[in-house]
Structure formats: C-alpha cells, structure tokens
Amino acid sequence: PAMIEEAHQRAAAAQPAWNALGGDGRARVLEAMADAVEAGRESLCALMVREAGKTWSDAIAETREAADFCRYYAKLAREQFGAPITLTGPVGERNTYGLHGRGVFVCISPWNVPLAIFTGQIAAALAAGNAVLAKPAEQTPLIAHKAVKLFYGAGLHPDLLALLPGDGAKIGAALVAHPGIAGVAFTGGTDTARAINRALAGRDGPIAPLIAETGGLNGMFVDTTALKEQVIDDVIASAFGAAGQRCSALRLLFLPRELADDYIAALKGAMDMLKLGDPADFAVDVGPVIDLDAQEALQRHLDTLAARGQVLHRTSTPDLNGRFFAPTLAEIGDPAELEREAFGPILHVVRYDSQAPEAMAEALAARGYGLTLGVHSRLESFAERIMRAVPAGNVYVNRTITGAVVGVQPFGGEGLSGTGP
C-alpha cells in the first residue's frame, strides 16, 4: 500500500508538466519508444517465448503491434492535443476548445498480449497527457518490466510511469479504489471488469471513466457458397493460434447442415497437422497454455463436453511436460449451452439451417457478447444478414478473425465484451 501511495503522489506531481508539454512533445517520446521496441525485438521476443509461452511468429507479431500502438497514439497526440480549435460564433466572441489529460490513469493489462496491450494502454494514456500506474498480469511481470525500462530509455520521466506488479485481487483492487485515480484502462475478464466498475462507482470524489475490453463468445458463420479450403485455414488460425488464448479467438463455428460433415472431416485432418511443443522450436504451431489454473479450467470444460458425448476430435500430442492442452473440436446444439468463454484451444461446431440463418445468429447474439464476428460467403447479402443479427465491435468477412492491425483494422467490443473504444 505504501508503494502505491508513493507512486500516485509522484505521478500526480509530474503529470501537469507532462500535460503542458503538448501533443507534439509527448508524441516524440512515444515515437522514441516505438524505435526502442523495434531495436529490441529479438530480446523482447525471447522473453515472450520464455515467460508467456508464445511461438516465435506470435511474439514477432506482438512486438510489431507494440511499436504500432506507440506510433498510432503519437499521431493522435499531434492531431488531437495541439493548439486549441477556434469555433465559429457571434461577432465579438472568441470560442475555443482543446483537450487535456485527466490526471493519473491506472492501466491493467492481461497475460495473453503481455507486451502490446501493456504498451498500448500506457501509450494511449500518456498521449492524452496523463501519468500512469501500470499493473501487469501476475503471470507476465518480466515482459512488463522490460517495456517500462524501454519507456524510461525513450525519455519518459520515471515518475510518469510506475510499474506495480502483483496479484490482481490485491494490487489491482487497491489501485482502482484509490481516491486520486482519474480513470482506468482494463483488458481482461468480464467478471473482473464488473468488479472494477463497482469499485469505481463506490468511491467518493469525481466519477472516473472505465475503458474496458473483455472476452467474447466469438462466432463465425459459413454459408454454402464459401470456399472450403479458405474456411479451413482461417478457422484453424482463428481457433487454435496462440493456443486459443486470444480474446478475439474463434469459439463457435456455425456450419450449414448439408455441409457440416464435410467441414468436420476437413477440420479433423487440418488439426492433425498441428504440432504441439516447446514454443521456442520454430516447427511448433501450438505452445502451452499460460498456467495450471488455465489448464484445469479447460480440462473441466472438456470433461463436461465428453460427458455429453460432444467431443469430435483432439489433436494428438507427444509426451509433453508442461501446461499443454490439445486443440479440441466439439459439437453443441445451441450457443446457449456455453455459459461462458472457455479461454483456450477448444472450438465448438454448431449446425444451422441454411435457409434461416437468423435463428442461430440471434441465439448467438442473445449470449450478450459483442467482440469479433466472422462470415465466410461469396454473397454479400448473406454477410449483411449476419451482421444485422449479431452485434459485434469487429466483423471480418472471408478472413481470420484474429490479429487486428493497429490503425488498419478497428478493434473494440460491445455488450459483455467491453465499453467500446
């Protein structure tokens, strides 16, 4: 508690000068951070492979994303935090408006994107003229520590960014309850987001905003016109890439009844081509899940599916020592059978009536999530029908549903999947 209080006092004292620096001055620091991330790519990737169990390809993509976030928010800092804008108005008046930082922001980031989201949350808050108290996931503090050192090396005064690692229930809860916090950026589970929202609402003082991005029961609808080979590639990448540990990962695959058996057979064959193992091996496609808790939660869900006779196929695994979970294909009758997201490499197939896809689309929408949605079709009218029926922050047509590129593909959830931006 004493460290949190000291970090807040130092951040609050340093924030006004940082805010007064203006968008251009802050952008230069963020651009230097982007350069530092790119220059340190190899060591950052190695750390993500070792600490987070990422494959090399995922780690390389994440360093790019972290640098992209810094450049993206540097651009917005210049565009949105420059000289005040003059409005038109009555003769004899001068009316202007400008934007400034709120104060000290808390940034709470997840273990599944331990560099890019950690860096991106901080970069956004800094770009807007705020100081930051950063709480990384307890599973990945070393990556966060490395990133904070890079921020300091890029010219950021250490008082403007405090690294406060530790248990979420203790450190995270203390941070969001602090009366001096001006806002919270959070990426993680829906239940935790609700707890943060309640904690912020229960404080005295100014109302603080919560920017939250949480999980999703993400679905993909395939129609009878889709190109089968492309569907299989995109489903495998979306469901099992990063061991299924992406908030945007594919959880529910909706197949037309008349083609479902053919697709299931093809998916089984593609799954058998996946290689599990040490993610430091370039030949490995699927690494471990993050920890024992994650492995046990997935196993409980698998046991439930198996007890109902719903497991269709699992990727064969060598005798691996570690927190590995084989990619799994299961079939369920309705999205309502899933009470919550199973965060890992489990894909659920659902058959639907190709003449009336809205019925199943509305069943997916009724789950209340709204992060990513996929559609595979050669009919634009089909894609539009599904999009109208299923609210989602991000809709991907005829491609994978993961790996949004900063500044190119927009990203943000609605409903149970977040607060939007």
Side-chain angles (χ1 to χ4, degrees):
M3 285 183 172
I4 291 174
E5 185 56 40
E6 180 188 355
H8 178 267
Q9 290 178 2
R10 290 168 62 175
Q15 186 267 337
W18 174 248
N19 183 68
L21 189 60
D24 185 64
R26 297 194 294 271
R28 286 196 290 270
V29 174
L30 295 180
E31 287 164 346
M33 175 60 178
D35 291 339
V37 168
E38 290 170 341
R41 185 177 74 167
E42 287 77 10
S43 60
L44 287 167
C45 286
L47 196 53
M48 283 188 279
V49 171
R50 290 295 300 276
E51 188 179 38
K54 288 186 172 287
T55 61
W56 282 104
S57 60
D58 284 337
I60 290 167
E62 188 162 338
T63 56
R64 182 206 65 201
E65 185 178 13
D68 286 351
F69 267 132
C70 293
R71 299 196 195 283
Y72 177 74
Y73 289 119
K75 177 176 180 288
L76 292 187
R78 287 194 173 95
E79 292 175 354
Q80 299 179 7
F81 293 86
I85 295 172
T86 300
L87 305 176
T88 57
V91 174
E93 290 184 6
R94 184 178 68 206
N95 298 289
T96 66
Y97 80 87
L99 301 175
H100 62 82
R102 297 180 61 90
V104 180
F105 242 81
V106 169
C107 293
I108 302 176
S109 54
W111 51 260
N112 63 324
V113 193
L115 176 67
I117 290 182
F118 178 81
T119 302
Q121 287 179 341
I122 293 169
L126 292 174
N130 301 292
V132 178
L133 307 182
K135 211 296 285 185
E138 50 262 39
Q139 295 93 334
T140 52
L142 298 180
I143 296 165
H145 177 259
K146 177 75 170 176
V148 168
K149 289 288 190 181
L150 291 178
F151 268 113
Y152 295 164
L156 185 70
H157 193 287
D159 286 355
L160 290 165
L161 173 58
L163 177 67
L164 297 165
D167 179 69
K170 296 178 182 178
I171 305 301
L175 284 169
V176 300
H178 194 286
I181 295 306
V184 176
F186 169 77
T187 299
T190 303
D191 291 343
T192 304
R194 286 197 190 96
I196 293 172
N197 191 42
R198 286 193 293 268
L200 290 174
R203 303 180 322 155
D204 292 328
I207 295 173
L210 169 61
I211 301 167
E213 189 265 290
T214 57
L217 284 177
N218 309 307
M220 177 186 289
F221 279 80
V222 178
D223 82 347
T224 56
T225 72
L227 184 62
K228 182 178 178 182
E229 292 80 2
Q230 183 185 354
V231 171
I232 298 302
D233 283 349
D234 290 349
V235 167
I236 293 294
S238 299
F240 304 131
Q245 298 176 120
R246 289 189 174 113
C247 54
S248 56
L250 178 60
R251 308 299 182 197
L252 287 155
L253 177 62
F254 296 90
L255 297 173
R257 293 187 191 280
E258 56 266 47
L259 297 177
D261 288 341
D262 289 342
Y263 271 104
I264 289 169
L267 285 168
K268 290 178 180 179
M271 290 171 65
D272 287 340
M273 299 300 293
L274 296 173
K275 180 178 180 180
L276 276 70
D278 183 349
D281 180 351
F282 284 102
V284 163
D285 301 299
V286 181
V289 295
I290 189 65
D291 57 20
L292 179 61
D293 287 345
Q295 187 183 38
E296 290 179 342
L298 289 166
Q299 186 61 47
R300 288 193 295 271
H301 184 60
L302 176 65
D303 291 344
T304 299
L305 293 170
R308 297 173 181 167
Q310 294 174 317
V311 177
L312 300 177
H313 193 64
R314 301 196 76 199
T315 299
S316 61
T317 59
D319 187 17
L320 296 172
N321 180 26
R323 304 305 177 198
F324 292 93
F325 190 89
T328 301
L329 184 67
E331 181 173 346
I332 62 176
D334 189 279
E337 293 182 31
L338 298 182
E339 295 182 5
R340 61 179 62 239
E341 180 180 28
F343 204 74
I346 301 178
L347 175 63
H348 308 83
V349 169
V350 184
R351 301 175 193 242
Y352 76 92
D353 180 355
S354 60
Q355 301 304 307
E358 282 84 359
M360 199 60 77
E362 290 166 2
L364 174 61
R367 306 308 296 144
Y369 292 88
L371 190 59
T372 59
L373 170 69
V375 181
H376 266 271
S377 173
R378 284 185 265 192
L379 297 175
E380 191 168 351
S381 59
F382 179 83
E384 290 173 350
R385 289 169 69 184
I386 300 302
M387 283 189 276
R388 283 194 298 268
V390 184
N394 321 278
V395 183
Y396 300 99
V397 179
N398 293 337
R399 55 150 285 169
T400 60
I401 69 169
T402 57
V405 176
V406 176
V408 177
Q409 287 122 5
F411 194 82
E414 55 188 86
L416 293 175
S417 295
T419 58

